[in-house]
Amino acid sequence: MISPVYGPLIEKLLAGEFICAISDEANFAKLQDDETRDSIDAYLKPLNRRLAANDEGSVYFLAYRDLDDGAREHLKQQLGVVMGSMLPLLEWLTYVQEAMGSDGILTAGDTLKLQELTVKTEDNPSLRQRLQSLANDRFFNSQSDAVDGQAKQVAKRLVEHGYLLQPHANRLYFTVTGKIDYLLELVRFVKDEENIPLEDTSSQAELL
Amino acid sequence: MAQANDEQLLSNMFDVGVERLKLIGNHAKVLMQGYLSGGIDASALSEQALKKLINARIIYQPDDSHELKLRHPVVQLVAAMVTDESRRQVNADIADKLQSIRGFVQGFREAQRSGDVIRADNQLQRTEEAVYDLTSQFEEAIFSLWHRLNSNFGFVSNLSDKIRENSRAQEQIRRLIEGLSLIDFDELIELAEGNPALRKLLVTKLQTQINGHHGSLLEVQKRLVELMTRFREQQERSLLVTNMAGFLREHPGFTVGDYAYRSQVPSLVNVAAAIKPAAAVALDRRDQHADIAHIVHGLYKELAIKAKTDDADSNTQAVDNSAQQQAVEARQQQLKHDAMQYFMAACDSKTPLSALDYLHQQTLEWPPEAWLFQVIGEYNSLPRNEQKLFSIERSEHPVSRYNQVIVIEDIALRFTP
């Protein structure tokens, strides 16, 4: 018998949310306990679900326990969607890195001030163009012509997809969630799996 | 004689030193400009000043170019003073320092043996200075390293430069630690043999300081390695994202393998579809009826409150206006109604009924003027045949002798069927 305190956590997981230390600190802490994870797993068994985590253990989500045909079909379609959104997401990450002049790609726990990003973008034609083409991408799907509107729409979509968290609905600052770690792990996995030759490009030489 | 010579030499050195330090101060702005831009504009200085600066070995003219440059020790001095980490050098030349300490101690011993107290004192002082020089060199280096670490190598702009600077710093630490290992305390103990002042200087004090420096260096090293790991991770992520984005951009039709239909589905890909834990109100449990009724009741209340607040929110101004309007209308209706009541009362009354008396009797709140106006208005709006049923008497008086304005003071209404 599972304790009722896990009810909301299980509901979140069932709804397809990724639980990380940033998006849901309390529940993430609960998931650090082996026994809790086991009992949640046991509870989910009849639903053909189990608790899964990324390699780093920084994000938890639900996976299929048994991969029947239905499950496989769903995974196949889902992978298609994820791969479709991969380029705009990666482009967004490089755009933010460049705009903010930061050393690295955004990582879980970083804060993003939309106002600052907008100001920096407005002052720079190349960044403006990059945001424009990002915003017009089907994934972000912005109808706006203004930098401000585009940036807001992009952020909104990222919140919807769980990559960003908006702590206050009326304040335009965002926190990056652990789902970004998941995305990067997936990118790394695809790269290795498909033998994509990324290492010997000239940009590597430039950076080193 | 030798002493007098020494003194002469010292006083000469003192004068020259003061003069040249002043020279730096006098041209501080030009020199600092030169430090920042890498070259000094000769036109900013007078010919005489230029000569003096070159003679003082503060600046020099490389080859036959026209540009003047600061000499290395001056650059180092400025770098140390403004903690400019990109220029500061960490000098790990320990062997040389140790050699000079040995030399001074030897000189001290010789002077002592020959009974030359002044020279011995002098040599002891030199030894002290050399020891201080040695330790302060580590202090300076460690300070500089911490400063670099704490500023997260902020003095260079991009990540690869930071990685380069970090490995340079690590290399410096390695050399510093190597340098520290050159200090052989057995040798120093031997060197200080039999002299308490030397012993204190070369063994006790130096050992404590060197131990402290060694500890600091190891700590900085540890932190630098940690930071380097973080830099490398950042770099790896940046590269991964940039290169993958580039690849996907160049290969728009790129598709991945059929991971979902493999016998071993990669764990990262296995993200289950969402399940919505839906629930609806059920009435099949009698014991819950009360609770459900309570919820429904609460819901109605909530809806009512929401409707009100929605109304209020939608347009406060408009609501205010219409509320005012409604209030005015209501008052008008009431006035009309009261006037009608007065007409009815007049019908019941045998004698003419004064409008103002009625107002007072019924303790109505209308101002007398408005009341009379309404009564007259009501009377006028009656159909002709009904008007005939009432006789209306006005008690009135003219306002003044000079015009025709007449004020109606009261009205008496009589029903005459």
Side-chain angles (χ1 to χ4, degrees), chain B residues 93-116:
Chain B
D93 186 11
I94 309 298
D96 185 47
K97 294 262 155 52
L98 283 171
Q99 195 57 45
S100 55
I101 289 175
R102 282 188 206 108
F104 290 134
V105 172
Q106 218 161 13
F108 170 70
R109 293 248 184 243
E110 274 167 21
Q112 259 192 337
R113 265 200 298 278
S114 62
D116 187 345

Side-chain angles (χ1 to χ4, degrees), chain B residues 11 20 66 82 87 136 213 291 355 402:
Chain B
S11 101
R20 296 196 163 167
H66 287 289
V82 300
R87 306 267 196 108
S136 70
H213 292 334
D291 287 345
Y402 304 106

Side-chain angles (χ1 to χ4, degrees), chain B residues 288-314:
Chain B
Q288 288 181 347
H289 282 191
D291 287 345
I292 292 170
H294 187 72
I295 292 169
V296 171
H297 197 72
L299 204 62
Y300 274 128
K301 262 192 203 160
E302 248 174 59
L303 282 175
I305 290 168
K306 194 169 177 297
K308 263 189 199 161
T309 48
D310 277 2
D311 250 14
D313 283 349
S314 65

Side-chain angles (χ1 to χ4, degrees), chain A residues 46-171:
Chain A
L47 295 168
N48 187 22
R49 298 288 192 279
R50 66 178 174 81
L51 201 58
N54 63 340
D55 288 348
E56 280 179 48
S58 58
V59 212
Y60 287 95
F61 53 91
L62 290 193
Y64 289 113
R65 178 172 282 277
D66 298 312
L67 288 156
D68 50 25
D69 287 348
R72 284 182 195 272
E73 191 49 39
H74 170 78
L75 292 183
K76 186 187 161 99
Q77 280 178 12
Q78 181 171 259
L79 191 62
V81 173
V82 170
M83 287 310 295
S85 65
M86 192 175 269
L87 180 59
L89 283 169
L90 297 180
E91 299 251 38
W92 180 76
L93 285 171
T94 57
Y95 150 74
V96 172
Q97 184 189 12
E98 200 165 307
M100 305 308 282
S102 45
D103 286 337
I105 293 295
L106 285 175
T107 56
D110 283 355
T111 305
L112 184 71
K113 292 191 182 101
L114 204 61
Q115 185 65 29
E116 213 177 319
L117 191 64
T118 313
V119 169
K120 294 201 164 155
T121 305
E122 269 165 352
D123 290 348
N124 183 326
S126 130
L127 288 175
R128 262 210 315 262
Q129 204 196 331
R130 283 176 69 177
L131 178 64
Q132 170 95 45
S133 68
L134 262 179
N136 289 344
D137 189 284
R138 216 152 27 103
F139 180 70
F140 292 118
N141 197 22
S142 163
Q143 312 296 328
S144 174
D145 289 329
V147 169
D148 188 49
Q150 289 169 349
K152 274 185 193 155
Q153 169 68 12
V154 168
K156 193 176 143 231
R157 291 283 290 154
L158 289 165
V159 171
E160 283 169 13
H161 282 262
Y163 293 106
L164 292 183
L165 194 76
Q166 192 174 11
H168 303 281
N170 49 357
R171 286 198 222 153

Side-chain angles (χ1 to χ4, degrees), chain A residues 14 73 103 182 193-194 207, chain B residues 160 162 259 262 268 275:
Chain A
L14 281 175
E73 191 49 39
D103 286 337
Y182 170 83
E193 201 67 14
E194 304 295 323
L207 276 163
Chain B
S160 38
K162 285 184 184 187
Y259 302 154
R262 284 188 187 171
L268 274 178
I275 295 177

Side-chain angles (χ1 to χ4, degrees), chain B residues 143-154 223-224 227:
Chain B
F143 175 77
S144 166
L145 287 164
W146 273 116
H147 192 259
R148 289 175 212 198
L149 188 70
N150 290 336
S151 67
N152 203 8
F153 293 91
R223 296 271 298 273
L224 280 173
L227 192 63

Side-chain angles (χ1 to χ4, degrees), chain A residues 8-33:
Chain A
L9 167 58
I10 292 175
E11 253 187 68
K12 276 187 159 190
L13 285 166
L14 281 175
E17 275 191 42
F18 280 58
I19 307 282
C20 71
I22 289 103
S23 68
D24 190 343
E25 201 183 346
N27 278 327
F28 183 77
K30 283 183 199 162
L31 287 172
Q32 299 306 301
D33 179 43

